[in-house]
């Protein structure tokens, strides 16, 4: 268990370092609002779609467990609609899209996958990679839909929402990667190395933009909604979805990997998408910071309890 705690901190600590770097260099005047807008656009339109494409390219679909993947997809949809129902009660209309996205969307591809590998070895890596691929498609489609539905920039008609989803660069990156993953199509080494170099900019650049957008005044202003979203993301929804998996009969590594994916903190992509449509990106940034901090505790407690009972 100590190994898992150390691994969790090893993964989450660099996230906070980059957030602080972003806040510090914004305060020093090295970056400004124009840079944050341009860099966020680069991540949204360029580096992150390439990163998602490469993630699918490397997914081992031979480890696909249809029953488990189907449960994960249905649980994700259930979490989305629960978060949406709660947002209608809890949030002003203009913030509901950002709140829902921050509440149901996890950082499966980085934190969930890394911890699955640490705890369950090669099997955890393979299964976590498959779930991350499914999550990429679901998260981006549902996030694009809910953000478009509540956007002040986009008219919320069924046609405009579908168009927003179809034109979303992150979804395009995912769909482009599906045939490569399914038929195990490789890329030339020179192209793969170039693409990886470009994609590696995604996380540090996104986190610097998030840190540069944070301020104490913004955190105070968004505190109540951010705390509410954090409670839902790292406690309520993982508890409900994991109990559902237990009742369904999942045990061992399957249950453990499911829990780690359900309990992962909010992904940095939620900030990038909120910023891209001029939604409340300060709320998105606050949710990412708070869920990442809280998940370092709740993920360890959750896996400890599951192991103590003998379920994972």
């Amino acid at each position: 268990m100590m190994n898992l705690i150390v691994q969790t901190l090893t993964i989450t600590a660099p996230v906070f370092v980059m957030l602080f770097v972003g806040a510090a260099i914004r305060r020093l005047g090295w970056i400004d609002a124009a840079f944050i807008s341009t860099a966020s656009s680069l991540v949204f339109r360029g580096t992150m779609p390439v990163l998602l494409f490469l993630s699918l390219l490397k997914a081992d679909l031979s480890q696909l467990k249809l029953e488990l993947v189907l449960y994960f997809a249905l649980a994700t949809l259930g979490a989305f609609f629960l978060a949406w129902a709660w947002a209608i009660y809890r949030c002003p209309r203009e913030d509901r899209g950002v709140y829902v996205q921050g509440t149901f969307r996890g950082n499966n591809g980085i934190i969930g996958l890394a911890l699955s590998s640490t705890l369950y070895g090669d099997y955890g890596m393979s299964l976590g990679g498959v779930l991350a691929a499914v999550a990429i498609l679901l998260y981006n489609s549902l996030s694009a839909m809910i953000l478009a539905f509540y956007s002040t920039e986009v008219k919320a008609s069924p046609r405009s929402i579908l168009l927003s989803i179809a034109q979303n660069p992150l979804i395009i990156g995912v769909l482009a990667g599906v045939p490569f993953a399914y038929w195990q199509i490789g890329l030339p080494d020179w192209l793969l190395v170039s693409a990886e170099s470009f994609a590696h900019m995604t996380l540090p650049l996104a986190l610097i933009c998030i840190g540069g957008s944070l301020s104490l005044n913004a955190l105070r202003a968004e505190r109540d909604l951010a705390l509410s979203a954090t409670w839902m993301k790292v406690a309520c929804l993982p508890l409900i979805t994991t109990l559902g998996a237990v009742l369904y009969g999942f045990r061992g590594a399957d249950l453990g990997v499911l829990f780690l994916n359900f309990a992962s903190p909010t992904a940095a992509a939620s900030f990038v998408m909120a910023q891209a449509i001029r939604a409340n990106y300060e709320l998105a940034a606050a949710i990412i910071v708070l869920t990442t901090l809280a998940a370092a505790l709740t993920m360890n407690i959750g896996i400890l309890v599951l192991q103590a009972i003998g379920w994972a």
Side-chain angles (χ1 to χ4, degrees), residues 67-76 240-242 244-245 250 258 262:
E67 192 175 43
L68 189 145
V69 170
L70 182 60
Y71 176 80
F72 177 76
L74 290 175
T76 299
I240 293 169
T241 50
T242 303
F250 292 116
L258 281 172
F262 291 139

Side-chain angles (χ1 to χ4, degrees), residues 4 7-8 11 111-120 260 299:
L4 183 63
Q7 183 68 14
T8 305
I11 296 167
I111 294 177
L113 183 59
L115 294 180
S116 296
S117 174
T118 297
L119 200 58
Y120 299 109
L260 290 171
M299 292 180 79

